[in-house]
Amino acid sequence: GGGGGGGGMINGIRFIDNVDGMNPTTATPTPITFTTTLVTADSNGYLRFWDIRADHQSCFHEICVAPNTCLSHVAVAAADSVKSIMAVNAYDDILRVYNISNNSINLLSELGGVKNRSWPIRSAIFNANINSSRRGRAATHDGTTSGEKKAATAFDGALLVATGSADGSALIYEIDPTATDAFTTITTVNSAPLFAQRLENAHADHVYDVAFHPSTCRLATAGGDGLIKLWMPSY
């Protein structure tokens, strides 16, 4: 296959799924389906979007997230059938959330509270609406209790972004899934951080990675203390 470069060290790479959009760099936009697109995050602070179709294989758009600031991770998830949400971790201790829809890529929010500086901290996204179709199988495959079934619906309609942190905490933010413009989420670095939840002292060392269950908002965290911990909503 083809290759791409021209930036710093690539620390994150993801396919963008479930969005039909346009190439935003052309005067007459060329239709492009985001299932043919990769996004990369690099050590120079750039997000780059790559068309991987056989007759293209090129970078068609780039965003300077933070000049000369290492981006440590990128997470992407469908918000609905025509829009995706992207979360980007960076060494400046800001978690940025973008909306990708049609022919635009817009900053939704800059989230504070995470300690990311000089550490490869990662994030994850959970969309209760998109994942709800999987719940029936997931809630019963291992004979789970009614309590776990309640946990599966505890955040109905929620769009959550979770991230690790170098201070041993894990943070969970709630994003407005209908938002299209900048700074319409509940938390920004310009105000006191408001979290859906902050898991204080989740680990005895840095929390490097987090992952949501595919069909419920149960969260797994991985720390530098060598432990994996599982968290589920209270109800």
Side-chain angles (χ1 to χ4, degrees):
M9 181 176 69
I10 294 176
N11 295 322
I13 184 168
R14 288 292 183 274
F15 281 100
I16 300 178
D17 201 2
N18 291 344
V19 176
D20 290 333
M22 299 287 193
N23 184 329
T25 63
T26 57
T28 303
T30 302
I32 180 169
T33 303
F34 272 101
T35 50
T36 67
T37 299
L38 284 172
V39 57
T40 58
D42 71 28
S43 59
N44 289 339
Y46 278 85
L47 291 172
R48 289 184 169 87
F49 298 83
W50 303 87
D51 185 346
I52 62 171
R53 292 176 295 181
D55 56 342
H56 290 73
Q57 295 188 348
S58 62
C59 176
F60 67 85
H61 189 55
E62 67 178 33
I63 299 172
C64 182
V65 173
N68 302 314
T69 298
C70 180
L71 307 182
S72 64
H73 182 66
V74 58
V76 179
D80 53 37
S81 61
V82 296
K83 181 170 64 177
S84 283
I85 296 294
M86 178 173 61
V88 181
N89 292 80
Y91 278 11
D92 60 1
D93 293 343
I94 299 173
L95 177 64
R96 294 170 175 85
V97 180
Y98 294 83
N99 164 55
I100 304 172
S101 178
N102 296 323
N103 63 341
S104 64
I105 303 167
N106 299 315
L107 179 67
L108 289 182
S109 191
E110 295 180 320
L111 305 173
V114 60
K115 300 300 181 184
N116 201 153
R117 197 173 303 275
S118 300
W119 297 100
I121 305 299
R122 301 187 174 204
S123 55
I125 303 171
F126 175 81
N127 186 344
N129 289 327
I130 294 295
N131 295 349
S132 62
S133 62
R134 304 174 188 166
R135 286 188 185 143
R137 175 175 57 81
T140 59
H141 79 283
D142 56 359
T144 51
T145 65
S146 60
E148 291 205 13
K149 292 179 184 178
K150 288 181 181 179
T153 57
F155 284 90
D156 271 355
L159 181 61
L160 304 176
V161 177
T163 182
S165 184
D167 60 4
S169 301
L171 293 82
I172 305 171
Y173 306 86
E174 185 170 2
I175 304 297
D176 179 359
T178 65
T180 57
D181 299 318
F183 305 110
T184 54
T185 54
I186 63 170
T187 309
T188 76
V189 294
N190 300 319
S191 62
L194 300 172
F195 309 111
Q197 190 169 0
R198 184 186 185 106
L199 304 175
E200 296 279 0
N201 302 315
H203 289 262
D205 202 333
H206 304 349
V207 179
Y208 286 108
D209 206 355
V210 296
F212 280 108
H213 186 277
S215 58
T216 74
C217 52
R218 286 176 288 182
L219 182 71
T221 59
D225 54 7
L227 297 177
I228 297 172
K229 295 187 178 182
L230 300 177
W231 310 79
M232 62 186 297
S234 57
Y235 51 86

